[in-house]
Amino acid sequence: MTRYSGQSRMLVAVDCIIFGFDGEELKLLLIKRGFEPQKNKWSLMGGFVQADESFEAAAARILNKLTGLEGVYMEQLFAFGEPARDPVERTVSITYFALIDINQYKLQINDEYHAEWISLDKLPDLIFDHTEMVKMAQEKLRYKAAIHPILFELLPLKFTIPQLQLLYEAVYDVTFDKRNFSRKVLSTGLLIKQKDKDRLSSKRGAFYFKLDKRKYNAKFNAFLNFVTDPGNLR
Amino acid sequence: MTRYSGQSRMLVAVDCIIFGFDGEELKLLLIKRGFEPQKNKWSLMGGFVQADESFEAAAARILNKLTGLEGVYMEQLFAFGEPARDPVERTVSITYFALIDINQYKLQINDEYHAEWISLDKLPDLIFDHTEMVKMAQEKLRYKAAIHPILFELLPLKFTIPQLQLLYEAVYDVTFDKRNFSRKVLSTGLLIKQKDKDRLSSKRGAFYFKLDKRKYNAKFNAFLNFVTDPGNLR
DNA sequence: CCAAAAGTGTTGTTTGTACACCCATGT
DNA sequence: ACATGGGTGTACAAACAACACTTTTGG
């Protein structure tokens, strides 16, 4: 037996929802689509999965082509497959969302794709079902970040607690009491205080912290006790 | 433009991880694969996505073909796409997990597929990457059920609190204190006490409860402790 | 010396956990 | 009358939320 007979085959694409945080707002890295249909419309960065390529490899390749980055946090979001989602021909899209430190990719915008960081509050219309993808990614980010310490992926290696708080406030569009916030974050034991301070955003300066990678990996599934015990209903 | 050129097209399948609960154990509905390769090996129920069919429609069709049921709780789990996951030719699998009331499909096992309910503790080897799919589904079920009241989908319309507790204990493989469990469950306000009792499993009999559908829907996405959502009913 | 952001402590409230007894009924 | 599972109450511990003042330093 060499093939399954009588079945239709489809194109499979990967699209990347790429988040960044500039210290004030959550942003998405979008491109201007380079080919028809919908050429020059805003779009997620994407590409077709090659014959011999896994989804993860395709997603990493596509992200790397745009940003030059490797080892970025990525996670499969959802498979979109409405028959008519791409008007040209049936194309399935496996979406991945990525969290990157915006400082690692800020200026060297790849001219080939006319990429830009665009605030989530001011999203333009996107092609096809990409707006839906973004919306789902944002929901998943909120959902997941409430339980797992993934937002650190959006920050530089060294960051301050006020920066971290601004990030959480941007993600959830709320404000937190700084005393409670810092106590809660420090109580996880995931942060290692540095000797130096960030002196840019205040006169007094705020101490830098680094993630404790070991505890990060160990605690990934039990961060802020947002899921307490498995028997926790409600 | 009628097609994208120079790209490879792939088969797209849907595989269903179907959970049921018999009052004691969590079970999966598995079939014996009816065609080569791996004919007669244990497998998830699956099928190819048709040219004109969405993933959800395909999943519902496949589940219905096996069980005859409609309106079942289903949720996309993950897209599996390793290039060699199916040795015949490249096939992408979009997996769905389903939660069904086992009593609605207990005896009328569809002979065509040689389906059986098999305890998760005694899983046989499955074809291809289906074991990995099951493992991921079980993790997701635990994860999600800790936050959302989805396990009710595994119970009949009327159920008792001891039954519900047995279900949670089976899902998480732990035991709970019945006093704390019942207080916690009742405090959600999701349960409506019925006038009649289940008299099968004890002499005294246990009151039946029904889900309050309205609150269920309202609360489904209101998750916990982080952003104290004003709309979050307690 | 003062504006602006960092940092820290206490208290009351809520939620969670551990634990023991009485109840209703079929046999 | 007793064995079996159903149902409830209480007390202690942990987590959370609300809230105000002092510190540092660049201008």
Side-chain angles (χ1 to χ4, degrees):
Chain A
M1 171 185 286
T2 49
R3 302 193 89 196
Y4 294 106
S5 59
Q7 301 297 338
S8 49
R9 291 163 180 82
M10 305 169 191
L11 282 174
V12 180
V14 161
D15 289 302
C16 296
I17 299 103
I18 306 168
F19 289 96
F21 178 64
D22 67 358
E24 293 187 348
E25 291 182 305
L26 252 198
K27 303 205 158 180
L28 277 188
L29 189 54
L30 297 175
I31 64 166
K32 288 238 171 109
R33 181 165 162 106
F35 51 94
E36 293 296 347
Q38 306 259 43
K39 188 170 171 178
N40 289 324
K41 294 281 166 57
W42 287 108
S43 160
L44 296 169
M45 180 73 182
F48 293 109
V49 177
Q50 301 302 298
D52 226 341
E53 191 181 42
S54 71
F55 297 156
E56 286 74 19
R61 170 176 59 78
I62 287 161
L63 186 86
N64 177 268
K65 197 157 75 171
L66 179 61
T67 65
L69 299 176
E70 290 181 359
V72 168
Y73 180 92
M74 293 192 90
E75 181 177 342
Q76 193 187 108
L77 175 65
F78 197 74
F80 290 78
E82 288 301 311
R85 54 171 295 281
D86 185 322
V88 175
E89 75 172 280
R90 180 142 193 196
T91 305
V92 160
S93 170
I94 316 293
T95 51
Y96 278 78
F97 80 86
L99 306 180
I100 82 182
D101 169 10
I102 204 170
N103 302 296
Q104 306 238 350
Y105 177 72
K106 210 174 196 171
L107 304 173
Q108 35 145 351
I109 299 287
N110 189 328
D111 266 351
E112 186 184 348
Y113 298 106
H114 306 285
E116 279 182 39
W117 284 107
I118 297 191
S119 162
L120 270 164
D121 299 331
K122 295 156 200 155
L123 265 202
D125 287 341
L126 304 179
I127 65 163
F128 303 167
D129 47 4
H130 286 199
T131 302
E132 188 187 350
M133 293 173 177
V134 168
K135 200 178 150 200
M136 192 183 285
Q138 196 174 4
E139 273 168 21
K140 181 146 183 185
L141 180 65
R142 286 181 165 162
Y143 188 96
K144 187 136 189 181
I147 306 177
H148 304 286
I150 54 173
L151 295 187
F152 295 104
E153 305 287 345
L154 289 166
L155 293 175
L157 235 64
K158 292 197 309 187
F159 52 86
T160 68
I161 291 190
Q163 277 169 15
L164 184 63
Q165 180 170 351
L166 286 170
L167 172 54
Y168 272 86
E169 291 181 342
V171 168
Y172 292 102
D173 197 24
V174 288
T175 58
F176 296 111
D177 180 280
K178 65 176 175 173
R179 295 156 290 189
N180 294 336
F181 183 85
S182 106
R183 184 185 313 112
K184 197 165 187 174
V185 170
L186 290 173
S187 76
T188 63
L190 288 179
L191 300 191
I192 304 172
K193 191 173 190 171
Q194 304 303 111
K195 296 235 162 72
D196 51 337
K197 287 182 166 185
D198 166 32
R199 304 203 160 270
L200 293 173
S201 53
S202 77
K203 295 164 180 172
R204 183 180 179 177
F207 279 105
Y208 281 121
F209 288 80
K210 279 187 182 174
L211 245 197
D212 185 331
K213 286 280 178 190
R214 233 170 90 179
K215 289 191 188 164
Y216 174 78
N217 293 323
K219 273 199 145 173
F220 190 80
N221 285 306
F223 182 39
L224 296 176
N225 297 343
F226 286 133
V227 173
T228 56
D229 275 66
N232 192 346
L233 278 183
R234 198 163 24 157
Chain B
M1 172 187 281
T2 49
R3 302 192 92 196
Y4 295 105
S5 59
Q7 301 296 340
S8 49
R9 290 162 181 83
M10 306 170 189
L11 283 173
V12 181
V14 161
D15 289 302
C16 296
I17 299 103
I18 307 167
F19 289 96
F21 178 64
D22 67 359
E24 292 189 348
E25 291 182 305
L26 254 198
K27 304 206 157 178
L28 278 188
L29 189 54
L30 297 175
I31 65 166
K32 289 236 171 110
R33 181 167 162 106
F35 51 95
E36 294 295 348
Q38 308 258 43
K39 190 169 171 178
N40 289 324
K41 294 282 166 55
W42 287 107
S43 160
L44 296 169
M45 180 73 182
F48 293 109
V49 177
Q50 301 302 298
D52 226 340
E53 191 181 42
S54 71
F55 298 155
E56 286 75 18
R61 170 177 59 79
I62 287 161
L63 186 85
N64 177 269
K65 197 157 74 172
L66 178 61
T67 65
L69 299 175
E70 290 181 0
V72 168
Y73 180 93
M74 293 192 88
E75 181 178 342
Q76 192 186 109
L77 175 66
F78 197 73
F80 289 78
E82 288 301 311
R85 54 172 294 281
D86 185 321
V88 175
E89 75 173 279
R90 179 139 194 199
T91 305
V92 160
S93 170
I94 316 292
T95 51
Y96 278 78
F97 81 86
L99 305 180
I100 82 184
D101 170 9
I102 205 170
N103 303 297
Q104 305 239 348
Y105 177 70
K106 210 174 197 170
L107 303 173
Q108 34 145 350
I109 298 285
N110 188 328
D111 267 350
E112 185 184 349
Y113 300 105
H114 305 286
E116 279 182 36
W117 284 107
I118 299 191
S119 161
L120 270 164
D121 299 331
K122 296 158 200 151
L123 266 202
D125 287 340
L126 304 179
I127 64 163
F128 303 167
D129 48 3
H130 286 199
T131 302
E132 187 188 350
M133 293 172 176
V134 168
K135 201 178 148 200
M136 193 183 286
Q138 196 174 2
E139 272 168 22
K140 181 145 181 184
L141 180 64
R142 286 181 164 161
Y143 188 96
K144 187 136 187 179
I147 306 178
H148 303 286
I150 54 173
L151 294 187
F152 295 103
E153 305 287 345
L154 289 165
L155 293 175
L157 235 65
K158 291 198 309 187
F159 53 86
T160 68
I161 292 191
Q163 277 168 16
L164 184 63
Q165 180 169 353
L166 286 170
L167 171 55
Y168 273 86
E169 292 180 340
V171 168
Y172 292 102
D173 196 24
V174 289
T175 58
F176 297 112
D177 181 280
K178 66 175 175 176
R179 294 157 289 189
N180 294 336
F181 183 86
S182 106
R183 184 185 312 114
K184 202 167 192 171
V185 170
L186 291 173
S187 77
T188 64
L190 288 179
L191 300 191
I192 304 171
K193 191 172 190 169
Q194 304 302 111
K195 297 235 164 70
D196 51 338
K197 287 182 166 187
D198 165 33
R199 303 204 162 269
L200 294 174
S201 52
S202 76
K203 294 165 181 171
R204 183 181 180 179
F207 279 105
Y208 282 120
F209 288 80
K210 280 189 182 175
L211 246 196
D212 183 331
K213 286 281 180 191
R214 233 170 92 178
K215 290 190 185 168
Y216 174 79
N217 292 323
K219 264 193 125 156
F220 192 83
N221 283 307
F223 61 114
L224 317 186
N225 312 331
F226 205 173
V227 182
T228 27
D229 211 328
N232 191 348
L233 26 122
R234 271 223 166 180

